[in-house]
Amino acid sequence: MQKKRTSFVFFCLLLAAFLFCLPSIAEAKTANFTYCVKLKPGWQQVSVPKTQNVQVVVRCPEQIAKHHEQKVIISLAFYRVKKGDTLYSIAKRFDTTVEQLRLLNKLNGVKITPGEVLLVPICWRVIPKPQPQPEPEPEPQPEPKPNPQPQPEPEPEPSPKPQPEPEPEPEPQPQPEPQPEPEPEPEPQPQPVPGLNEAEQKMLALINAERSKVGLAPLQVDMELVRLARLKSQDMIEHNYFSHQSPTYGSPFDMMRAAGITYRLAGENLAGAPTVERAHTSLMNSSGHRANILNPNYTHIGIGAVGGGRYGMMFTQLFVGR
């Protein structure tokens, strides 16, 4: 009887231990899954913060027989089709071909409608395929010739040293009176634009200085674009993201269209940095951002510089061509 009671108590303790460990066993087998949602075809993002280039492989027509391929780095922009535009006229304006426009926009024919948005190339750079270089043959080395031993030369007899004659002391020449140097004329400084803060004014001056170096006209400030650029910078700080696609306003082109901005060509640059100079240097070191700054088809700009966020300051540049 005592043995049966001991077995029953042991069985109850074992069952209680099993029930106590059951939640931890279930928790250990729980798995977490992460899902990624892709947008349906529509407004496509051309660039990401780290690079503004699209790399494609283009087969050259004259080299199809040789199956030779070249890599081309292309910077793209959006173009809104106007009434009277054709693929031929757009290709001629942007120095490209109708076939390239059809490939970039996945068009089956050549028919386009006003208001349609197309991708157009604004900067090309071809990277040729490296050709194998023949190894140079070693040149024959000439055999060393024995150097002749130098013959001892007779030592010359010492000649008496001539005594130097005393030179007359030069008369002191009158020193000319120093003339005051003319002060250089100060270079004209760009006039500040009313409505811009100090950081936005400094970034505008740096952008127009880069355009002046290559003979381009300065960009004019559009205060409505400035308002939109500030909203985009503040939105990135508040929602902790860095992207051309805003969860609040959509793409920059959606944002401009909702505000009633009209344009023939448009683009956007984003930068996060603690100072204006570091942000400008990063943009100029990126070929895609540099192409926007030095695009001759752009005429107006809006700059939004807002302090805060993980970078210290957030910068948005909105470009339009009219």
Side-chain angles (χ1 to χ4, degrees), residues 85-92 97-98 101-102 107 109-112 118:
D85 278 345
T86 64
L87 281 185
Y88 175 77
S89 63
I90 296 173
K92 186 176 180 181
T97 63
V98 173
L101 290 178
R102 290 180 59 193
L107 299 177
V110 296
K111 184 178 179 180
I112 54 176
L118 300 177

Side-chain angles (χ1 to χ4, degrees), residues 197-203 230 232-234 236-237 241-242 270-280 303-316:
N197 60 36
E198 182 180 355
E200 293 164 351
Q201 184 68 51
K202 187 181 296 185
M203 179 164 279
R230 288 172 178 171
K232 179 63 177 292
S233 295
Q234 187 66 40
M236 287 191 291
I237 293 174
Y241 72 95
F242 189 85
L270 301 177
T275 64
V276 175
E277 290 79 4
R278 289 184 61 178
H280 178 73
I303 302 173
V306 179
R310 51 186 169 178
Y311 303 108
M313 289 193 74
M314 197 71 73
F315 301 89
T316 301

Side-chain angles (χ1 to χ4, degrees), residues 78-94 96-120 264:
F78 287 100
Y79 176 77
R80 187 179 299 277
V81 178
K82 298 185 300 183
K83 186 176 180 180
D85 278 345
T86 64
L87 281 185
Y88 175 77
S89 63
I90 296 173
K92 186 176 180 181
R93 178 182 301 173
F94 291 98
T96 182
T97 63
V98 173
E99 185 63 24
Q100 287 296 335
L101 290 178
R102 290 180 59 193
L103 289 175
L104 285 174
N105 295 278
K106 300 180 180 179
L107 299 177
N108 294 326
V110 296
K111 184 178 179 180
I112 54 176
T113 57
E116 183 178 356
V117 177
L118 300 177
L119 284 173
V120 294
R264 180 172 52 87

